[in-house]
Amino acid sequence: MPSLDLRSFVARAGTLVDSSPPASRRETRTWLVEPFLETLGWDLRAESCVTDRSIDDTPLEYVLLVDSVPALFVAVEAADEPLEETRANALQQAMAWTGVDRAIYTNGRQYLLLAGTTDIEYHTLRLSELTDGESTVGLYSRDALGRRLAQHSRNHVARQLAIERSRLVDSIGEQLTAATAHGDVYDDEFESAIDRFLDQLVVAFTDADSEQPNAVADVSVRFDESTISSETPTDGDTAETGSATDPSRHTTTDANEDAGTGRVADTAASTESNGREAPARDDDAERREPDDDTDAENGTEDGEESEYVVRLFNDRGSIGAIGHSTSEGALVGAAEYLFERGLSGVTVPWSPDEADGTVLNSDPVHADGSPMAASTQLSNGLYLETAGTVEERAARVQALAARAGLRAMLTGDWDT
């Protein structure tokens, strides 16, 4: 990787921040962020730089392309404003949805570098620390990302479709309206159908990639505000890495890894060593009966491990995804995730409309008092019915998502 002139940039930017700091987001972009990106080798005057674009309802100041393929998201705050955890997490969700696996969130004085689409790694640096962190910062350069995207993959198509989604919705909608009598009467229906179609198309191309999605955990953005004004770290004060609002959950990885030095842990369920979510387990193992078709799900005929993926959407687009090697694990992970996002108001015992069996209850029994054939106790104490075929678990996931006001798209091995 060519050497970056970060030292000169840090010196110039530090002098500017100390003498006449930017007073708005626009000035921050012009005086601090754009010179930083240019130092990384990006040409911000070329067609490969898209500005002021919203992706999955997440506003981005820059989307940087490599040969028309989105490679890097950049979100900006004004220099006198802190980085916001809510926006950092929204940026992370946009990465998971689009497959764009590099992003920078900055106010010109603080830099949050994100990498990945499922197990998000992040690294936080102050302006004065960029030079010492050149090996990490360099992974976001035009040269480094150009090499990463040199070989075409189906995931590139997913990135392009996601970035162009708004334009495609408008364009297809206009054509449908023009092709039908009184088509404007049905604009809302057309738009809804196009949204679903594009969701499925992006998911289809994303799922073809080797890395399957898990639920995305929150990013915690923390800087020592007492040192920001001088941009000089105090004794013992170093750039923060890791994943969590709980410092005890930080993990350390090799500094030569492909970005950052911390990995975001999954909060929707416990995580197995293979990176997929493990189903929650009852304290009393006797409460769970063996399930005949669970063992058969653990692998396919050719010996490859199965993958059951649940993608969840609201009216604006994708909000997250869960992946597991069994349909039972995916059902449990989806339930945990949904209880954090709209399902918590459910009254137990609960079953979907026109369903005979109880799906959720405060005890591992059905509404009529008969025991559940197999159940898992969720983190909120409720019991989830996990028995049945893959098709029955799929229906249960769909019903739980609908009860939470969301829609679920099931991909991977659900249909097999």
Side-chain angles (χ1 to χ4, degrees):
M1 181 180 68
S3 178
L4 304 174
D5 193 14
L6 283 173
R7 191 173 301 277
S8 296
F9 165 74
V10 169
R12 293 193 305 269
T15 299
L16 187 150
V17 166
D18 291 339
S19 60
S20 180
S24 67
R25 193 192 307 259
R26 172 56 60 185
E27 289 183 354
T28 302
R29 290 174 61 170
T30 303
W31 300 353
L32 295 176
V33 178
E34 292 186 357
F36 172 66
L37 295 175
E38 289 169 348
T39 299
L40 297 184
W42 296 101
D43 184 354
L44 305 184
R45 306 296 176 260
E47 293 182 357
S48 58
C49 176
V50 178
T51 58
D52 302 310
R53 181 69 60 90
S54 287
I55 307 298
D56 199 25
D57 259 11
T58 301
L60 300 170
E61 277 67 29
Y62 305 91
V63 177
L64 300 173
L65 314 178
V66 173
D67 296 331
S68 79
V69 178
L72 176 66
F73 289 159
V74 182
V76 180
E77 301 291 350
D80 58 353
E81 295 291 334
L83 302 186
E84 300 175 356
E85 291 186 16
T86 54
R87 192 173 183 196
N89 291 322
L91 180 59
Q92 184 184 197
Q93 295 289 354
M95 294 168 70
W97 165 237
T98 61
V100 175
D101 58 0
R102 293 292 184 271
I104 297 173
Y105 180 30
T106 181
N107 58 10
R109 307 197 303 178
Q110 305 162 348
Y111 295 78
L112 174 65
L113 309 179
L114 298 165
T117 58
T118 55
D119 294 329
I120 302 290
E121 299 175 351
Y122 71 93
H123 198 119
T124 57
L125 295 168
R126 286 180 287 270
L127 175 60
S128 60
E129 297 169 323
L130 292 177
T131 303
D132 291 338
E134 180 172 347
S135 61
T136 296
V137 177
L139 298 173
Y140 297 77
S141 69
R142 170 62 177 80
D143 180 74
L145 292 181
R147 291 197 304 272
R148 281 177 55 82
L149 298 177
Q151 184 175 357
H152 176 76
S153 75
R154 287 173 59 88
N155 179 263
H156 295 178
V157 177
R159 295 186 184 200
Q160 291 169 305
L161 291 174
I163 296 301
E164 296 297 328
R165 180 193 180 103
S166 297
R167 185 182 63 79
L168 290 171
V169 169
D170 292 342
S171 176
I172 298 172
E174 289 173 0
Q175 294 184 55
L176 290 175
T177 299
T180 55
H182 306 292
D184 55 344
V185 176
Y186 306 104
D187 281 349
D188 290 342
E189 292 180 59
F190 287 156
E191 182 175 347
S192 178
I194 297 166
D195 275 337
R196 290 195 298 273
F197 167 70
L198 290 175
D199 282 347
Q200 293 169 352
L201 203 55
V202 171
V203 167
F205 278 90
T206 302
D207 283 348
D209 200 47
S210 60
E211 187 179 21
Q212 293 289 351
N214 294 316
V216 181
D218 288 345
V219 169
S220 175
V221 182
R222 288 174 289 181
F223 287 89
D224 183 352
E225 294 296 336
S226 65
T227 66
I228 295 302
S229 59
S230 65
E231 298 297 344
T232 303
T234 57
D235 291 341
D237 186 19
T238 59
E240 182 170 340
T241 62
S243 71
T245 52
D246 178 4
S248 67
R249 296 178 61 188
H250 285 189
T251 58
T252 302
T253 59
D254 189 344
N256 292 323
E257 279 189 15
D258 195 19
T261 57
R263 183 175 297 278
V264 173
D266 185 10
T267 57
S270 59
T271 305
E272 296 175 335
S273 61
N274 64 3
R276 297 188 178 92
E277 297 167 29
R281 291 174 171 80
D282 295 332
D283 294 333
D284 183 356
E286 294 180 357
R287 292 176 180 170
R288 296 190 54 175
E289 300 295 332
D291 192 341
D292 292 339
D293 67 348
T294 298
D295 291 340
E297 294 177 16
N298 290 331
T300 58
E301 291 182 359
D302 59 4
E304 294 182 0
E305 195 170 57
S306 301
E307 184 74 39
Y308 294 83
V309 180
V310 180
R311 284 182 178 269
L312 295 162
F313 300 84
N314 59 20
D315 292 338
R316 297 183 300 274
S318 171
I319 63 169
I322 293 93
H324 199 275
S325 58
T326 67
S327 60
E328 178 185 2
L331 168 62
V332 172
E336 294 278 11
Y337 188 86
L338 288 167
F339 267 108
E340 297 176 1
R341 292 163 174 80
L343 191 61
S344 56
V346 67
T347 301
V348 295
W350 180 83
S351 61
D353 294 340
E354 302 179 359
D356 296 330
T358 300
V359 173
L360 291 167
N361 205 353
S362 55
D363 293 299
V365 297
H366 293 279
D368 62 4
S370 61
M372 293 180 177
S375 64
T376 292
Q377 188 173 24
L378 303 176
S379 59
N380 61 6
L382 296 181
Y383 287 85
L384 171 69
E385 171 68 87
T386 56
T389 64
V390 172
E391 290 77 11
E392 289 170 334
R393 290 174 185 142
R396 222 165 287 158
V397 170
Q398 298 279 11
L400 289 166
R403 176 60 180 78
L406 304 172
R407 68 182 189 278
M409 181 184 297
L410 308 186
T411 60
D413 292 300
W414 288 102
D415 293 334
T416 60

